[in-house]
Short mmCIF file of all heavy atoms in Angstrom, two decimals:
data_model
loop_
_atom_site.label_atom_id
_atom_site.label_comp_id
_atom_site.label_asym_id
_atom_site.label_seq_id
_atom_site.Cartn_x
_atom_site.Cartn_y
_atom_site.Cartn_z
N MET A 598 -2.14 6.56 -18.20
CA MET A 598 -2.81 5.16 -17.94
C MET A 598 -1.74 4.12 -17.88
O MET A 598 -0.98 3.87 -18.76
CB MET A 598 -3.72 4.82 -19.02
CG MET A 598 -4.92 5.83 -19.19
SD MET A 598 -6.11 5.65 -17.80
CE MET A 598 -6.84 4.09 -18.03
N ASP A 599 -1.56 3.59 -16.66
CA ASP A 599 -0.55 2.63 -16.45
C ASP A 599 -1.09 1.52 -15.51
O ASP A 599 -0.37 1.08 -14.69
CB ASP A 599 0.76 3.16 -15.97
CG ASP A 599 1.83 2.25 -16.11
OD1 ASP A 599 1.88 1.36 -16.94
OD2 ASP A 599 2.78 2.22 -15.28
N GLN A 600 -2.35 1.21 -15.63
CA GLN A 600 -2.97 0.15 -14.91
C GLN A 600 -2.88 -1.20 -15.52
O GLN A 600 -3.29 -1.43 -16.63
CB GLN A 600 -4.36 0.51 -14.59
CG GLN A 600 -4.52 1.85 -13.79
CD GLN A 600 -5.96 1.98 -13.41
OE1 GLN A 600 -6.87 1.93 -14.23
NE2 GLN A 600 -6.21 2.32 -12.12
N ARG A 601 -2.13 -2.14 -14.87
CA ARG A 601 -1.87 -3.35 -15.45
C ARG A 601 -2.29 -4.52 -14.48
O ARG A 601 -2.20 -4.36 -13.31
CB ARG A 601 -0.37 -3.51 -15.88
CG ARG A 601 -0.03 -2.61 -16.97
CD ARG A 601 1.44 -2.30 -17.02
NE ARG A 601 1.67 -1.33 -18.11
CZ ARG A 601 1.96 -1.59 -19.42
NH1 ARG A 601 1.89 -2.90 -19.75
NH2 ARG A 601 2.14 -0.71 -20.28
N ALA A 602 -2.52 -5.71 -15.07
CA ALA A 602 -2.77 -6.88 -14.30
C ALA A 602 -1.51 -7.60 -13.75
O ALA A 602 -0.35 -7.12 -14.01
CB ALA A 602 -3.61 -7.90 -15.10
N GLY A 603 -1.67 -8.50 -13.07
CA GLY A 603 -0.44 -9.19 -12.42
C GLY A 603 0.50 -9.69 -13.45
O GLY A 603 1.67 -9.86 -13.06
N ASP A 604 0.12 -9.98 -14.64
CA ASP A 604 1.04 -10.52 -15.62
C ASP A 604 1.64 -9.41 -16.49
O ASP A 604 2.42 -9.65 -17.57
CB ASP A 604 0.53 -11.57 -16.49
CG ASP A 604 -0.66 -11.06 -17.36
OD1 ASP A 604 -1.02 -9.93 -17.23
OD2 ASP A 604 -1.21 -11.88 -18.12
N GLY A 605 1.45 -8.15 -16.22
CA GLY A 605 1.98 -7.06 -16.81
C GLY A 605 1.27 -6.63 -18.12
O GLY A 605 1.72 -5.53 -18.68
N ALA A 606 0.23 -7.31 -18.50
CA ALA A 606 -0.39 -6.81 -19.76
C ALA A 606 -1.42 -5.69 -19.47
O ALA A 606 -1.95 -5.63 -18.30
CB ALA A 606 -1.17 -7.98 -20.43
N PRO A 607 -1.66 -4.76 -20.42
CA PRO A 607 -2.49 -3.71 -20.29
C PRO A 607 -3.96 -4.12 -20.21
O PRO A 607 -4.34 -5.14 -20.82
CB PRO A 607 -2.29 -2.82 -21.44
CG PRO A 607 -1.78 -3.75 -22.52
CD PRO A 607 -0.99 -4.83 -21.83
N ILE A 608 -4.82 -3.45 -19.39
CA ILE A 608 -6.22 -3.89 -19.22
C ILE A 608 -6.96 -2.86 -19.91
O ILE A 608 -6.95 -1.61 -19.73
CB ILE A 608 -6.60 -3.77 -17.78
CG1 ILE A 608 -5.71 -4.84 -17.03
CG2 ILE A 608 -8.06 -4.17 -17.65
CD1 ILE A 608 -6.11 -4.88 -15.49
N GLY A 609 -7.87 -3.22 -21.01
CA GLY A 609 -8.71 -2.41 -21.68
C GLY A 609 -10.19 -2.32 -21.20
O GLY A 609 -10.41 -2.96 -20.17
N PRO A 610 -11.04 -1.52 -21.67
CA PRO A 610 -12.35 -1.47 -21.15
C PRO A 610 -13.17 -2.67 -21.32
O PRO A 610 -14.20 -2.79 -20.58
CB PRO A 610 -13.02 -0.30 -21.96
CG PRO A 610 -12.18 -0.24 -23.23
CD PRO A 610 -10.83 -0.57 -22.86
N THR A 611 -12.90 -3.52 -22.13
CA THR A 611 -13.60 -4.76 -22.24
C THR A 611 -12.83 -5.96 -21.91
O THR A 611 -13.26 -7.32 -22.21
CB THR A 611 -14.12 -4.99 -23.69
OG1 THR A 611 -13.01 -5.03 -24.61
CG2 THR A 611 -15.10 -3.79 -24.04
N THR A 612 -11.64 -5.75 -21.34
CA THR A 612 -10.74 -6.88 -20.85
C THR A 612 -11.45 -7.73 -19.84
O THR A 612 -11.79 -7.14 -18.80
CB THR A 612 -9.42 -6.47 -20.39
OG1 THR A 612 -8.77 -5.64 -21.59
CG2 THR A 612 -8.50 -7.57 -20.10
N ARG A 613 -11.53 -8.96 -19.95
CA ARG A 613 -11.96 -9.90 -18.93
C ARG A 613 -10.75 -10.39 -18.10
O ARG A 613 -9.74 -10.60 -18.69
CB ARG A 613 -12.73 -11.12 -19.53
CG ARG A 613 -14.05 -10.69 -20.16
CD ARG A 613 -14.81 -12.01 -20.67
NE ARG A 613 -13.86 -12.58 -21.69
CZ ARG A 613 -13.98 -13.79 -21.99
NH1 ARG A 613 -14.68 -14.67 -21.32
NH2 ARG A 613 -13.13 -14.32 -22.94
N LEU A 614 -10.92 -10.57 -16.82
CA LEU A 614 -9.89 -10.99 -15.95
C LEU A 614 -10.24 -12.25 -15.12
O LEU A 614 -11.52 -12.36 -14.79
CB LEU A 614 -9.34 -9.87 -14.93
CG LEU A 614 -8.49 -8.95 -15.76
CD1 LEU A 614 -9.19 -7.81 -16.07
CD2 LEU A 614 -7.34 -8.53 -14.84
N GLU A 615 -9.47 -13.22 -14.86
CA GLU A 615 -9.82 -14.32 -14.11
C GLU A 615 -8.97 -14.40 -12.78
O GLU A 615 -7.81 -14.11 -12.71
CB GLU A 615 -9.32 -15.41 -15.08
CG GLU A 615 -9.65 -16.88 -14.41
CD GLU A 615 -9.37 -18.05 -15.48
OE1 GLU A 615 -8.10 -18.03 -15.79
OE2 GLU A 615 -10.30 -18.65 -15.92
N CYS A 616 -9.79 -14.79 -11.78
CA CYS A 616 -9.19 -14.88 -10.36
C CYS A 616 -8.31 -16.18 -10.39
O CYS A 616 -8.69 -17.26 -10.96
CB CYS A 616 -10.36 -15.24 -9.40
SG CYS A 616 -9.74 -15.61 -7.71
N LYS A 617 -7.08 -15.99 -10.00
CA LYS A 617 -6.07 -17.08 -10.09
C LYS A 617 -6.33 -18.09 -8.90
O LYS A 617 -5.68 -19.06 -8.95
CB LYS A 617 -4.58 -16.50 -9.96
CG LYS A 617 -4.22 -15.78 -8.79
CD LYS A 617 -2.89 -15.21 -8.90
CE LYS A 617 -2.43 -14.51 -7.58
NZ LYS A 617 -1.11 -13.86 -7.74
N VAL A 618 -7.24 -17.73 -8.04
CA VAL A 618 -7.42 -18.68 -6.87
C VAL A 618 -8.56 -19.67 -7.25
O VAL A 618 -8.54 -20.85 -7.19
CB VAL A 618 -7.73 -17.93 -5.63
CG1 VAL A 618 -8.07 -18.90 -4.46
CG2 VAL A 618 -6.42 -17.05 -5.23
N CYS A 619 -9.78 -19.02 -7.69
CA CYS A 619 -10.94 -19.85 -7.98
C CYS A 619 -11.49 -19.79 -9.37
O CYS A 619 -12.36 -20.57 -9.69
CB CYS A 619 -12.08 -19.36 -7.06
SG CYS A 619 -12.85 -17.76 -7.52
N TRP A 620 -10.75 -19.06 -10.26
CA TRP A 620 -10.98 -19.09 -11.69
C TRP A 620 -12.30 -18.23 -12.00
O TRP A 620 -12.96 -18.38 -13.06
CB TRP A 620 -11.14 -20.44 -12.35
CG TRP A 620 -9.97 -21.34 -11.93
CD1 TRP A 620 -10.00 -22.54 -11.16
CD2 TRP A 620 -8.51 -21.14 -12.28
NE1 TRP A 620 -8.74 -22.94 -11.05
CE2 TRP A 620 -7.80 -22.21 -11.71
CE3 TRP A 620 -7.84 -20.08 -12.92
CZ2 TRP A 620 -6.39 -22.23 -11.74
CZ3 TRP A 620 -6.49 -20.22 -13.06
CH2 TRP A 620 -5.85 -21.23 -12.57
N HIS A 621 -12.84 -17.67 -10.99
CA HIS A 621 -13.97 -16.64 -11.36
C HIS A 621 -13.59 -15.74 -12.31
O HIS A 621 -12.48 -15.07 -12.28
CB HIS A 621 -14.49 -15.93 -9.99
CG HIS A 621 -15.33 -14.84 -10.21
ND1 HIS A 621 -16.73 -15.22 -10.48
CD2 HIS A 621 -15.32 -13.54 -10.34
CE1 HIS A 621 -17.38 -14.04 -10.63
NE2 HIS A 621 -16.58 -13.00 -10.56
N VAL A 622 -14.34 -15.41 -13.28
CA VAL A 622 -14.08 -14.44 -14.32
C VAL A 622 -14.89 -13.16 -14.12
O VAL A 622 -16.02 -13.18 -14.03
CB VAL A 622 -14.34 -14.97 -15.71
CG1 VAL A 622 -14.12 -13.93 -16.85
CG2 VAL A 622 -13.39 -16.18 -16.05
N TYR A 623 -14.17 -12.07 -14.11
CA TYR A 623 -14.80 -10.79 -14.15
C TYR A 623 -14.97 -10.28 -15.65
O TYR A 623 -13.98 -10.12 -16.35
CB TYR A 623 -14.05 -9.66 -13.38
CG TYR A 623 -14.85 -8.33 -13.45
CD1 TYR A 623 -16.01 -8.26 -12.81
CD2 TYR A 623 -14.33 -7.28 -14.36
CE1 TYR A 623 -16.74 -6.92 -12.97
CE2 TYR A 623 -15.18 -6.21 -14.49
CZ TYR A 623 -16.33 -6.06 -13.81
OH TYR A 623 -17.08 -4.83 -13.89
N ASP A 624 -16.13 -10.16 -16.07
CA ASP A 624 -16.52 -9.65 -17.47
C ASP A 624 -17.17 -8.26 -17.42
O ASP A 624 -18.24 -8.25 -16.79
CB ASP A 624 -17.41 -10.69 -17.92
CG ASP A 624 -17.62 -10.34 -19.52
OD1 ASP A 624 -17.24 -9.26 -19.95
OD2 ASP A 624 -18.16 -11.27 -20.30
N PRO A 625 -16.49 -7.23 -17.93
CA PRO A 625 -16.89 -5.95 -17.86
C PRO A 625 -18.38 -5.83 -18.45
O PRO A 625 -19.20 -4.90 -18.15
CB PRO A 625 -15.94 -5.10 -18.73
CG PRO A 625 -14.76 -5.91 -18.53
CD PRO A 625 -15.11 -7.28 -18.55
N ALA A 626 -18.73 -6.65 -19.49
CA ALA A 626 -20.03 -6.64 -20.16
C ALA A 626 -21.09 -7.04 -19.11
O ALA A 626 -22.28 -6.66 -19.32
CB ALA A 626 -20.08 -7.60 -21.43
N GLU A 627 -20.76 -7.77 -18.10
CA GLU A 627 -21.81 -8.20 -17.19
C GLU A 627 -21.70 -7.54 -15.85
O GLU A 627 -22.72 -7.52 -15.08
CB GLU A 627 -21.53 -9.67 -16.92
CG GLU A 627 -21.68 -10.56 -18.10
CD GLU A 627 -21.58 -12.12 -17.88
OE1 GLU A 627 -21.33 -12.51 -16.68
OE2 GLU A 627 -21.61 -12.83 -18.79
N GLY A 628 -20.61 -6.87 -15.53
CA GLY A 628 -20.46 -6.23 -14.20
C GLY A 628 -20.34 -7.21 -13.16
O GLY A 628 -19.92 -8.43 -13.38
N ASP A 629 -20.80 -6.93 -11.93
CA ASP A 629 -20.75 -7.81 -10.86
C ASP A 629 -21.94 -7.68 -9.87
O ASP A 629 -21.91 -6.62 -9.20
CB ASP A 629 -19.34 -7.60 -10.04
CG ASP A 629 -19.23 -8.63 -8.90
OD1 ASP A 629 -20.14 -9.36 -8.62
OD2 ASP A 629 -18.23 -8.52 -8.16
N PRO A 630 -22.92 -8.56 -10.05
CA PRO A 630 -24.13 -8.24 -9.21
C PRO A 630 -23.87 -8.36 -7.73
O PRO A 630 -24.64 -7.89 -6.97
CB PRO A 630 -24.99 -9.34 -9.68
CG PRO A 630 -24.26 -10.31 -10.62
CD PRO A 630 -23.00 -9.55 -11.00
N VAL A 631 -22.94 -9.24 -7.36
CA VAL A 631 -22.54 -9.40 -5.96
C VAL A 631 -22.09 -7.95 -5.30
O VAL A 631 -22.61 -7.62 -4.20
CB VAL A 631 -21.50 -10.49 -5.68
CG1 VAL A 631 -21.05 -10.45 -4.27
CG2 VAL A 631 -21.98 -11.79 -6.30
N TRP A 632 -21.33 -7.25 -6.06
CA TRP A 632 -20.96 -5.91 -5.58
C TRP A 632 -21.76 -4.78 -6.13
O TRP A 632 -21.41 -3.67 -6.02
CB TRP A 632 -19.45 -5.83 -5.96
CG TRP A 632 -18.49 -6.45 -5.11
CD1 TRP A 632 -18.12 -7.68 -5.13
CD2 TRP A 632 -17.80 -5.72 -4.04
NE1 TRP A 632 -17.28 -8.00 -4.10
CE2 TRP A 632 -17.03 -6.89 -3.44
CE3 TRP A 632 -17.59 -4.52 -3.56
CZ2 TRP A 632 -16.04 -6.70 -2.36
CZ3 TRP A 632 -16.71 -4.27 -2.57
CH2 TRP A 632 -16.01 -5.31 -1.82
N GLN A 633 -22.90 -5.13 -6.80
CA GLN A 633 -23.65 -4.05 -7.50
C GLN A 633 -22.90 -3.32 -8.38
O GLN A 633 -23.04 -1.96 -8.38
CB GLN A 633 -24.35 -3.32 -6.37
CG GLN A 633 -25.33 -4.17 -5.54
CD GLN A 633 -26.18 -3.32 -4.54
OE1 GLN A 633 -25.65 -2.23 -4.13
NE2 GLN A 633 -27.19 -3.92 -4.01
N ILE A 634 -21.99 -3.90 -9.15
CA ILE A 634 -21.25 -3.19 -10.21
C ILE A 634 -22.07 -3.28 -11.54
O ILE A 634 -22.25 -4.34 -11.93
CB ILE A 634 -19.87 -3.88 -10.40
CG1 ILE A 634 -19.08 -3.89 -9.12
CG2 ILE A 634 -19.01 -3.14 -11.51
CD1 ILE A 634 -18.73 -2.50 -8.46
N PRO A 635 -22.41 -2.20 -12.11
CA PRO A 635 -23.24 -2.15 -13.33
C PRO A 635 -22.53 -2.76 -14.60
O PRO A 635 -21.22 -2.57 -14.62
CB PRO A 635 -23.62 -0.76 -13.58
CG PRO A 635 -22.66 -0.01 -12.79
CD PRO A 635 -22.18 -0.75 -11.64
N PRO A 636 -23.15 -3.32 -15.48
CA PRO A 636 -22.58 -3.74 -16.73
C PRO A 636 -21.83 -2.63 -17.44
O PRO A 636 -22.42 -1.53 -17.46
CB PRO A 636 -23.72 -4.38 -17.54
CG PRO A 636 -24.78 -4.64 -16.59
CD PRO A 636 -24.60 -3.80 -15.42
N GLY A 637 -20.74 -2.89 -18.00
CA GLY A 637 -20.00 -1.75 -18.79
C GLY A 637 -18.82 -1.16 -17.88
O GLY A 637 -18.21 -0.33 -18.31
N THR A 638 -18.69 -1.75 -16.74
CA THR A 638 -17.65 -1.28 -15.81
C THR A 638 -16.36 -2.06 -16.10
O THR A 638 -16.24 -3.25 -15.89
CB THR A 638 -18.06 -1.38 -14.32
OG1 THR A 638 -19.29 -0.75 -14.18
CG2 THR A 638 -16.99 -0.79 -13.45
N SER A 639 -15.27 -1.44 -16.50
CA SER A 639 -14.09 -2.00 -16.80
C SER A 639 -13.34 -2.46 -15.36
O SER A 639 -13.64 -1.86 -14.37
CB SER A 639 -13.12 -1.13 -17.49
OG SER A 639 -12.60 -0.07 -16.71
N PHE A 640 -12.49 -3.40 -15.50
CA PHE A 640 -11.84 -3.90 -14.30
C PHE A 640 -11.04 -2.66 -13.56
O PHE A 640 -11.13 -2.64 -12.26
CB PHE A 640 -10.86 -4.92 -14.64
CG PHE A 640 -10.26 -5.67 -13.42
CD1 PHE A 640 -10.96 -6.74 -12.83
CD2 PHE A 640 -9.08 -5.43 -12.88
CE1 PHE A 640 -10.45 -7.40 -11.70
CE2 PHE A 640 -8.56 -6.11 -11.86
CZ PHE A 640 -9.16 -7.01 -11.23
N THR A 641 -10.52 -1.92 -14.38
CA THR A 641 -9.66 -0.83 -13.74
C THR A 641 -10.61 0.21 -13.02
O THR A 641 -10.08 1.06 -12.27
CB THR A 641 -8.96 -0.04 -14.82
OG1 THR A 641 -9.76 0.37 -15.86
CG2 THR A 641 -7.88 -0.92 -15.30
N ASP A 642 -11.86 0.28 -13.38
CA ASP A 642 -12.89 1.05 -12.66
C ASP A 642 -13.61 0.53 -11.53
O ASP A 642 -14.34 1.25 -10.93
CB ASP A 642 -13.95 1.65 -13.86
CG ASP A 642 -13.41 2.53 -14.81
OD1 ASP A 642 -12.38 3.21 -14.48
OD2 ASP A 642 -13.92 2.68 -15.97
N LEU A 643 -13.32 -0.70 -11.25
CA LEU A 643 -13.75 -1.30 -10.00
C LEU A 643 -13.16 -0.53 -8.81
O LEU A 643 -12.11 -0.11 -8.99
CB LEU A 643 -13.47 -2.73 -9.94
CG LEU A 643 -14.08 -3.66 -10.91
CD1 LEU A 643 -13.53 -5.03 -10.94
CD2 LEU A 643 -15.61 -3.78 -10.71
N PRO A 644 -13.98 -0.54 -7.71
CA PRO A 644 -13.32 0.25 -6.50
C PRO A 644 -12.18 -0.54 -5.96
O PRO A 644 -11.92 -1.85 -6.08
CB PRO A 644 -14.49 0.11 -5.59
CG PRO A 644 -15.58 -0.81 -6.01
CD PRO A 644 -15.31 -0.98 -7.52
N ASP A 645 -11.19 0.13 -5.39
CA ASP A 645 -9.99 -0.45 -4.86
C ASP A 645 -10.19 -1.59 -3.84
O ASP A 645 -9.47 -2.45 -3.63
CB ASP A 645 -9.05 0.62 -4.29
CG ASP A 645 -8.45 1.46 -5.51
OD1 ASP A 645 -8.40 1.02 -6.57
OD2 ASP A 645 -7.98 2.61 -5.11
N HIS A 646 -11.41 -1.50 -3.13
CA HIS A 646 -11.62 -2.49 -2.16
C HIS A 646 -12.41 -3.60 -2.67
O HIS A 646 -12.82 -4.49 -1.94
CB HIS A 646 -12.35 -1.72 -0.98
CG HIS A 646 -13.69 -1.24 -1.39
ND1 HIS A 646 -13.87 0.08 -1.91
CD2 HIS A 646 -14.92 -1.67 -1.45
CE1 HIS A 646 -15.07 0.37 -2.24
NE2 HIS A 646 -15.88 -0.70 -1.84
N TRP A 647 -12.61 -3.63 -4.05
CA TRP A 647 -13.39 -4.79 -4.71
C TRP A 647 -12.52 -5.94 -4.48
O TRP A 647 -11.37 -6.03 -4.61
CB TRP A 647 -13.70 -4.51 -6.07
CG TRP A 647 -14.40 -5.41 -6.88
CD1 TRP A 647 -15.66 -5.60 -7.01
CD2 TRP A 647 -13.77 -6.63 -7.60
NE1 TRP A 647 -16.01 -6.73 -7.83
CE2 TRP A 647 -14.90 -7.33 -8.09
CE3 TRP A 647 -12.49 -7.05 -7.87
CZ2 TRP A 647 -14.86 -8.51 -8.86
CZ3 TRP A 647 -12.39 -8.21 -8.65
CH2 TRP A 647 -13.48 -8.91 -9.20
N THR A 648 -13.21 -7.07 -4.25
CA THR A 648 -12.51 -8.43 -4.16
C THR A 648 -13.32 -9.48 -4.91
O THR A 648 -14.43 -9.11 -5.30
CB THR A 648 -12.33 -8.94 -2.67
OG1 THR A 648 -13.65 -8.97 -2.10
CG2 THR A 648 -11.49 -8.02 -1.91
N CYS A 649 -12.74 -10.56 -5.29
CA CYS A 649 -13.44 -11.56 -5.89
C CYS A 649 -14.70 -12.00 -5.14
O CYS A 649 -14.63 -12.32 -3.98
CB CYS A 649 -12.54 -12.83 -6.01
SG CYS A 649 -13.41 -14.31 -6.70
N PRO A 650 -15.88 -11.96 -5.66
CA PRO A 650 -17.09 -12.21 -4.99
C PRO A 650 -17.23 -13.67 -4.62
O PRO A 650 -18.05 -14.08 -3.96
CB PRO A 650 -18.21 -11.92 -6.09
CG PRO A 650 -17.55 -12.03 -7.51
CD PRO A 650 -16.17 -11.60 -7.25
N ASN A 651 -16.37 -14.50 -5.17
CA ASN A 651 -16.32 -15.97 -4.77
C ASN A 651 -15.43 -16.38 -3.80
O ASN A 651 -15.66 -17.14 -2.86
CB ASN A 651 -15.96 -16.77 -6.07
CG ASN A 651 -16.51 -18.17 -6.06
OD1 ASN A 651 -17.60 -18.41 -5.55
ND2 ASN A 651 -15.64 -19.03 -6.50
N CYS A 652 -14.21 -15.71 -3.71
CA CYS A 652 -13.13 -16.18 -2.74
C CYS A 652 -12.51 -15.04 -1.97
O CYS A 652 -11.44 -15.21 -1.27
CB CYS A 652 -12.23 -16.99 -3.48
SG CYS A 652 -11.07 -16.18 -4.43
N SER A 653 -12.90 -13.71 -2.30
CA SER A 653 -12.43 -12.55 -1.70
C SER A 653 -11.00 -12.33 -2.04
O SER A 653 -10.30 -11.45 -1.18
CB SER A 653 -12.53 -12.71 -0.09
OG SER A 653 -13.95 -12.68 0.19
N THR A 654 -10.31 -12.82 -3.12
CA THR A 654 -9.09 -12.45 -3.59
C THR A 654 -9.11 -10.98 -3.95
O THR A 654 -10.13 -10.51 -4.54
CB THR A 654 -8.60 -13.29 -4.72
OG1 THR A 654 -8.46 -14.69 -4.15
CG2 THR A 654 -7.40 -12.77 -5.29
N THR A 655 -8.01 -10.18 -3.64
CA THR A 655 -7.98 -8.85 -3.97
C THR A 655 -7.81 -8.69 -5.61
O THR A 655 -7.40 -9.69 -6.28
CB THR A 655 -6.93 -8.08 -3.34
OG1 THR A 655 -5.72 -8.69 -3.63
CG2 THR A 655 -7.16 -8.15 -1.88
N LYS A 656 -7.90 -7.46 -6.11
CA LYS A 656 -7.74 -7.25 -7.52
C LYS A 656 -6.35 -7.65 -8.01
O LYS A 656 -6.18 -8.03 -9.18
CB LYS A 656 -7.80 -5.77 -7.85
CG LYS A 656 -9.43 -5.29 -7.65
CD LYS A 656 -9.56 -3.84 -7.79
CE LYS A 656 -9.52 -3.34 -9.26
NZ LYS A 656 -9.70 -1.86 -9.49
N ASP A 657 -5.37 -7.57 -7.07
CA ASP A 657 -3.95 -8.00 -7.50
C ASP A 657 -3.94 -9.57 -7.89
O ASP A 657 -3.02 -10.03 -8.58
CB ASP A 657 -2.91 -7.74 -6.37
CG ASP A 657 -2.70 -6.25 -6.21
OD1 ASP A 657 -3.11 -5.50 -7.12
OD2 ASP A 657 -2.20 -5.87 -5.12
N GLY A 658 -4.99 -10.22 -7.46
CA GLY A 658 -4.95 -11.64 -7.74
C GLY A 658 -5.61 -12.14 -9.03
O GLY A 658 -5.85 -13.36 -9.26
N PHE A 659 -5.95 -11.05 -9.71
CA PHE A 659 -6.68 -11.46 -11.13
C PHE A 659 -5.60 -11.30 -12.29
O PHE A 659 -4.77 -10.44 -12.27
CB PHE A 659 -7.82 -10.42 -11.31
CG PHE A 659 -9.03 -10.86 -10.64
CD1 PHE A 659 -9.12 -10.80 -9.15
CD2 PHE A 659 -10.14 -11.45 -11.32
CE1 PHE A 659 -10.29 -11.24 -8.47
CE2 PHE A 659 -11.23 -11.79 -10.54
CZ PHE A 659 -11.38 -11.74 -9.26
N LEU A 660 -5.82 -12.21 -13.22
CA LEU A 660 -4.98 -12.34 -14.35
C LEU A 660 -5.81 -12.02 -15.67
O LEU A 660 -6.89 -12.60 -15.76
CB LEU A 660 -4.17 -13.52 -14.45
CG LEU A 660 -3.32 -13.88 -13.29
CD1 LEU A 660 -2.68 -15.26 -13.39
CD2 LEU A 660 -2.15 -12.94 -13.14
N ILE A 661 -5.33 -11.50 -16.64
CA ILE A 661 -5.95 -11.25 -17.85
C ILE A 661 -6.35 -12.53 -18.57
O ILE A 661 -5.55 -13.44 -18.70
CB ILE A 661 -5.21 -10.22 -18.83
CG1 ILE A 661 -5.23 -8.78 -18.25
CG2 ILE A 661 -5.78 -10.27 -20.23
CD1 ILE A 661 -4.35 -7.90 -19.16
N LEU A 662 -7.59 -12.61 -19.01
CA LEU A 662 -8.14 -13.71 -19.70
C LEU A 662 -8.04 -13.48 -21.11
O LEU A 662 -8.68 -12.58 -21.74
CB LEU A 662 -9.54 -13.97 -19.27
CG LEU A 662 -10.12 -15.37 -19.73
CD1 LEU A 662 -9.28 -16.46 -19.02
CD2 LEU A 662 -11.59 -15.38 -19.19
N HIS A 663 -7.05 -14.10 -21.89
CA HIS A 663 -6.90 -13.84 -23.47
C HIS A 663 -7.97 -14.66 -24.11
O HIS A 663 -8.28 -15.80 -23.88
CB HIS A 663 -5.52 -14.14 -23.78
CG HIS A 663 -4.46 -13.33 -23.04
ND1 HIS A 663 -4.26 -12.05 -23.51
CD2 HIS A 663 -3.69 -13.53 -21.98
CE1 HIS A 663 -3.31 -11.58 -22.62
NE2 HIS A 663 -2.94 -12.39 -21.79
N ASP A 664 -8.43 -14.07 -25.22
CA ASP A 664 -9.40 -14.79 -26.04
C ASP A 664 -8.90 -15.69 -26.93
O ASP A 664 -9.57 -16.61 -27.48
CB ASP A 664 -10.22 -13.69 -26.82
CG ASP A 664 -11.23 -12.94 -25.93
OD1 ASP A 664 -11.73 -13.55 -24.92
OD2 ASP A 664 -11.49 -11.73 -26.06
N ASP A 665 -7.62 -15.55 -27.39
CA ASP A 665 -6.98 -16.34 -28.49
C ASP A 665 -6.49 -17.70 -27.96
O ASP A 665 -6.97 -18.33 -27.04
CB ASP A 665 -5.86 -15.68 -29.15
CG ASP A 665 -4.81 -15.18 -28.19
OD1 ASP A 665 -4.94 -15.47 -26.98
OD2 ASP A 665 -3.95 -14.36 -28.59
ZN1 ZN B 879 -11.75 -15.92 -6.65
#
């Protein structure tokens, strides 16, 4: 496992990520109704062609959202 976000931090199954263009947050607990992604899907399990439902930024354009 060596899937990492743009800032180099590891992505876990519940890690939320934020679009750096429009600040849309992908939350694995909610999935993505636009792409018909079911709740419980981690960011790393999203299809490679998945893009931000708001601005079409690719997965590379998302940064980990830290809770602290
Ligand atoms: Zn976006």
Side-chain angles (χ1 to χ4, degrees):
M598 296 293 287
D599 192 30
Q600 294 183 311
R601 290 163 186 270
D604 63 357
I608 301 173
T611 60
T612 302
R613 293 179 299 149
L614 285 93
E615 186 175 59
C616 175
K617 65 184 180 185
V618 176
C619 74
W620 312 116
H621 171 81
V622 173
Y623 177 75
D624 185 347
E627 298 182 3
D629 181 357
V631 176
W632 278 80
Q633 299 185 332
I634 303 296
T638 303
S639 73
F640 188 82
T641 55
D642 286 338
L643 292 172
D645 288 338
H646 60 275
W647 184 87
T648 59
C649 176
N651 202 41
C652 73
S653 297
T654 290
T655 60
K656 290 173 75 176
D657 290 344
F659 277 71
L660 300 174
I661 286 178
L662 195 60
H663 296 281
D664 286 327
D665 53 7

